[in-house]
């Protein structure tokens, strides 16, 4: 079902129009890559076969755009990949900045990998979970990170947000985080192209910072 709504916002600035749209699949009739390609009139023989485990399986999507404040937010829910979000917003210098994040909701077991299975005790498990990737087109400071995250919150719950627990925002580039569960022990890991902070779901982190160019 598709819903469209046009609202007017008021505040310290002039009133602006806000367009909101949402779509949700009916039952398990999820939206797939092939259907999107057909909508853009790609011939069937030019659409590659997508393995079942990599299918898009889009279950819901949400969009909001503020015409006056120039803010765009789009959220996606996929049965395969988890939750993804894209934000385009003008910073206080009136320069466009872009943020993308994806959070994979599924756990991935490593216990059956040949090398791991050979050395892993039978009473132990090894898996990675809470996998999250966030990407920023340029440096995001703390206050601007709060503005982006506030917009993301309007799209729904559990979408990836700008890491900002230290109120310093994030550097331009990519931050990658995950949890490694070895038996009952948990090891949060954060990798990034600049100063990195753990996303909301992590309470501690091992940070490995890539050298800056």
């Amino acid at each position: 079902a598709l819903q469209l709504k046009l609202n007017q916002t008021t505040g310290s600035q002039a009133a602006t129009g806000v367009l909101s749209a949402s779509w949700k699949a009916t039952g398990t009739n999820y939206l797939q890559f092939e259907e999107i390609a057909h909508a853009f009139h790609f011939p069937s023989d030019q659409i590659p076969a997508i393995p079942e485990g990599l299918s898009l399986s889009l279950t819901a999507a949400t969009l909001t755009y503020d015409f006056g404040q120039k803010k765009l937010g789009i959220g996606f829910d996929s049965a395969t990949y988890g939750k993804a979000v894209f934000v385009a917003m003008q910073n206080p210098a009136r320069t466009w900045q872009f943020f993308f994040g994806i959070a994979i909701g599924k756990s991935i077991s490593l216990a059956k990998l040949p090398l791991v299975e050979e050395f892993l005790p039978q009473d132990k498990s090894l898996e990675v979970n809470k996998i999250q990737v966030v990407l920023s087109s340029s440096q995001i400071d703390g206050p601007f990170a709060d503005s982006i995250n506030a917009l993301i919150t309007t799209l729904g719950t559990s979408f990836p947000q700008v890491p900002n627990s230290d109120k310093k925002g994030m550097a331009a580039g990519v931050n990658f985080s995950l949890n490694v569960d070895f038996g009952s022990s948990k090891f949060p890991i954060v990798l990034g192209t600049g100063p990195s902070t753990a996303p909301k779901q992590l309470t501690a982190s091992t940070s490995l910072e890539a050298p800056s160019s």
Side-chain angles (χ1 to χ4, degrees):
L2 175 66
Q3 294 184 346
L4 292 173
K5 185 183 297 184
L6 183 62
N7 294 326
Q8 187 180 59
T9 60
T10 57
S12 57
Q13 300 180 0
T16 63
V18 177
L19 174 67
S20 299
S22 62
W23 170 85
K24 186 174 183 180
T26 303
T28 57
N29 187 26
Y30 302 147
L31 185 65
Q32 304 294 349
F33 286 121
E34 297 86 347
E35 294 170 305
I36 296 175
H38 285 141
F40 285 93
H41 304 291
F42 282 90
S44 297
D45 59 359
Q46 294 185 12
I47 303 174
I50 306 297
E52 184 177 349
L54 299 178
S55 61
L56 176 61
S57 298
L58 196 67
T59 63
T62 307
L63 176 147
T64 182
Y65 180 69
D66 189 313
F67 292 91
Q69 298 184 30
K70 303 293 191 297
K71 298 188 297 185
L72 171 68
I74 308 174
F76 303 95
D77 285 270
S78 167
T80 302
Y81 298 102
K83 288 179 171 286
V85 67
F86 171 77
V87 172
M89 185 185 297
Q90 288 187 343
N91 61 24
R94 310 306 293 175
T95 301
W96 282 98
Q97 288 190 225
F98 306 97
F99 173 81
F100 174 80
I102 183 169
I104 300 175
K106 295 181 179 180
S107 299
I108 301 175
S109 176
L110 306 179
K112 296 301 182 181
L113 293 178
L115 184 61
V116 175
E117 189 174 25
E118 183 177 348
F119 295 99
L120 187 68
Q122 292 186 353
D123 62 339
K124 295 290 186 181
S125 62
L126 179 64
E127 69 174 30
V128 295
N129 53 53
K130 295 183 179 178
I131 303 170
Q132 179 168 295
V133 180
V134 293
L135 169 66
S136 173
S137 61
S138 55
Q139 171 75 36
I140 300 176
D141 62 21
F144 193 56
D146 286 338
S147 297
I148 293 176
N149 290 341
L151 178 63
I152 293 174
T153 300
T154 67
L155 298 173
T157 61
S158 303
F159 285 112
Q161 296 191 358
V162 180
N164 194 36
S165 59
D166 58 0
K167 298 302 180 182
K168 295 181 180 179
M170 68 173 286
V174 180
N175 277 358
F176 176 83
S177 64
L178 56 81
N179 271 4
V180 178
D181 290 0
F182 178 62
S184 59
S185 300
K186 301 181 183 296
F187 302 94
I189 297 175
V190 175
L191 305 171
T193 55
S196 56
T197 56
K200 280 188 173 182
Q201 67 263 36
L202 304 182
T203 56
S205 67
T206 300
S207 177
L208 302 178
E209 184 176 320
S212 58
S213 56

